[in-house]
Structure formats: structure tokens, C-alpha cells
Amino acid sequence: MPMPRLGRPTIALYNSYDPKNFREAHRRALARAGPLALAFDLNLATFGFPFPRELGTPQEIADWVATTTSIGEHGGFLKELTAKGRFQTFDYPHRGFPPQLGEVVLTTRKPDPGKKRDVDEVVAMLAKGQSVMILFGLGPKGAPKEVFEMTRHHMDITPGGFSLETCTAMGAVAGVIAYKLKGYYQNVLS
């Protein structure tokens, strides 16, 4: 029996901190997301990160982050992910997110009731071959209002609106999705 073609999950980091200056919070989130993406077979994308102008490619960014952090084997996991072509950077979206990254699912502790999806629904999208971009807003208030409005799906990874620090939420989402997809594979093969 042939293996089903699953959609590609992507962790996406939306910069809600500072649009002009690259800060330690940007570096830490990126350095932590790289190993998660590599470990759980996800892609990684950033939106609106104010990378230094001299860094023009994802590989240059990954190499630079690796010189400035001890997280993720001194940035080695982010470099490995990038070498596999699984790290991309984008400007802020003005009319919507890049469609090649899949259906956007905003992570939030306060999902719009009409847009609320649980993790099983997101895994079902992936199981049906739909790529999914799981969006995390960086900053003390998460994603801004316009991002809430432009996304069709919202997901709270906790059972009831608990506020998680961004990197904790990224780990929870990546782990749960990988675990549930593994269960999906096992069911298909049995």
C-alpha cells in the first residue's frame, strides 16, 4: 500500500516586537524554532524580521544567528534546516500570506469562535495533503489585530485559553502535531 502524501507543516514567526531593530527576542525565537522544525519535520518561516541589511539569504541569516547563540547546538540545527531548503524569510504580509506555505492557522489563547480549530482538525488538513502554516505572533501581545482578521483558522493548543510563552507554545504545537501524524501513519499502515 503506498504511503499517503501528507501536507507540509511550517512554523511561522510573525514579528510583533520591533519592526526596525533586530533584538535578542528575535534571535532566541529563531534559534529555538530551528531545532523544533528539524526535530519534528516542519519548515520554518519568518515574517517582518528586521534582519541586518547585509544578510540577504536564509543561509546568511542562519550562519549569522549561529555565531550569536548557544541555543540549538550554537545555531547548528538552524543551519542544517536551512541547508535543506526549509527556512524562508518574508516581509510583513499586506494582502495575505504566501499561498505556497499552505493554509494559515494562527495560534492564540483567544481564538475567534467562528475560526476556532483544534489540533485534530489541523492534523486532518495535513493528512489530506494540505500544507499548513502554523503562525506564532512574537511579542508581549502576540499577533496584531490585522493578522487575526486575515487568518481563517485560529487554534489554542491548550485546553482552555492558557497563555504560554511563545517558545513553549511552539514546542507544544510541534510535538503534538508530530505525535498525531505518527499515529495517523500507524493507522494507515495497519
Side-chain angles (χ1 to χ4, degrees):
M1 175 194 225
M3 287 296 294
R5 185 179 175 276
L6 298 179
R8 169 58 67 183
T10 297
I11 294 173
L13 306 176
Y14 186 95
N15 174 28
S16 301
Y17 277 112
D18 183 339
K20 297 190 189 294
N21 299 302
F22 191 84
R23 297 182 178 247
E24 186 61 21
H26 296 112
R27 179 185 337 277
R28 287 180 175 275
L30 191 55
R32 289 178 173 142
L36 282 172
L38 192 60
F40 293 110
D41 198 27
L42 298 111
N43 286 345
L44 175 61
T46 62
F47 290 92
F49 272 50
F51 295 114
R53 293 193 189 277
E54 66 272 12
L55 304 176
T57 68
Q59 191 63 60
E60 290 172 346
I61 292 165
D63 291 344
W64 176 72
V65 168
T67 67
T68 64
T69 186
S70 62
I71 299 168
E73 297 292 322
H74 297 277
F77 293 135
L78 178 61
K79 288 172 64 173
E80 184 179 341
L81 183 76
T82 305
K84 292 179 177 189
R86 294 178 34 208
F87 169 47
Q88 298 179 29
T89 63
F90 298 91
D91 291 332
Y92 285 114
H94 296 291
R95 295 186 207 180
F97 290 93
Q100 69 268 29
L101 298 179
E103 196 66 40
V104 181
V105 178
L106 176 65
T107 60
T108 175
R109 71 183 195 96
K110 296 180 180 179
D112 178 305
K115 297 180 177 186
K116 186 175 181 177
R117 306 292 177 264
D118 64 28
V119 72
D120 289 324
E121 291 173 292
V122 174
V123 169
M125 289 176 180
L126 291 162
K128 292 177 184 168
Q130 171 68 54
S131 291
V132 175
M133 184 180 83
I134 305 153
L135 185 63
F136 296 86
L138 298 182
K141 296 182 183 188
K145 182 180 177 182
E146 61 269 15
V147 172
F148 269 79
E149 292 171 358
M150 82 166 66
T151 54
R152 293 185 353 183
H153 308 287
H154 295 172
M155 178 178 68
D156 178 5
I157 193 63
T158 73
F162 293 94
S163 181
L164 300 177
E165 187 271 336
T166 304
C167 291
T168 302
M170 285 190 302
V173 168
V176 168
I177 287 176
Y179 177 79
K180 288 187 173 276
L181 283 175
K182 181 179 176 184
Y184 174 78
Y185 272 133
Q186 289 172 342
N187 287 337
V188 167
L189 294 175
S190 56

